[in-house]
Amino acid sequence: MIYHHNRFTFKQTATAQQREEALASLRNQGESIDAVSRYVVGKDIGGEFEYGAVFVIEDLDGYWEYLMAPSHAHTDRIGLPLLESFVSYDTTDSDDPGIAQKIADLHARRYAGNPALTKLVADLPSYTGSSAPTPTNQPAAGPVTR
């Protein structure tokens, strides 16, 4: 299993309506992507972020389905420009020693095929993640912080 985590804080300029639309779009991902077996979207408790989302995915094929889903692309388009800070990471029970690189490779493949998404992520004021796009669209070795 792979638990894909997102933690984020909206910019102060994001309106209440924009925030609700972005949160509703995240919830729609959980409902509309077949590869997502469970999900939660809500307030982030005990940390420096306002909100969080976790999507539970069975395997790497499902992870790719999640990444490429139209509902995920929609959330990126409407949500990323509203964020001040964003953290993305994964937790897995896989015993595959190469799982981190395989997940990073999926993200790199997605970025390589979508320059608009790469720009949205690169334009975030603060992003930390194991799969941030690099200038050459190659996966970074380890976490990338902007």
Side-chain angles (χ1 to χ4, degrees), residues 43-63:
K43 295 214 181 254
D44 189 275
I45 310 267
E48 62 196 66
F49 298 93
E50 289 180 291
Y51 293 94
V54 180
F55 300 93
V56 181
I57 304 162
E58 187 171 332
D59 56 23
L60 290 170
D61 288 337
Y63 201 105

Side-chain angles (χ1 to χ4, degrees), residues 44-137:
D44 189 275
I45 310 267
E48 62 196 66
F49 298 93
E50 289 180 291
Y51 293 94
V54 180
F55 300 93
V56 181
I57 304 162
E58 187 171 332
D59 56 23
L60 290 170
D61 288 337
Y63 201 105
W64 181 246
E65 179 185 335
Y66 164 81
L67 287 175
M68 297 307 294
S71 59
H72 190 232
H74 176 74
T75 302
D76 288 339
R77 279 192 306 276
I78 69 163
L80 289 174
L82 303 176
L83 300 184
E84 182 64 35
S85 59
F86 180 57
V87 170
S88 172
Y89 63 95
D90 299 290
T91 304
T92 182
D93 62 356
S94 173
D95 58 1
D96 178 353
I99 191 73
Q101 186 61 53
K102 290 174 183 176
I103 289 172
D105 289 347
L106 291 178
H107 283 278
R109 186 169 141 204
R110 180 173 178 241
Y111 290 130
N114 192 336
L117 170 65
T118 302
K119 181 170 177 14
L120 283 173
V121 175
D123 288 348
L124 285 166
S126 173
Y127 175 72
T128 303
S130 61
S131 311
T134 61
T136 60
N137 284 331

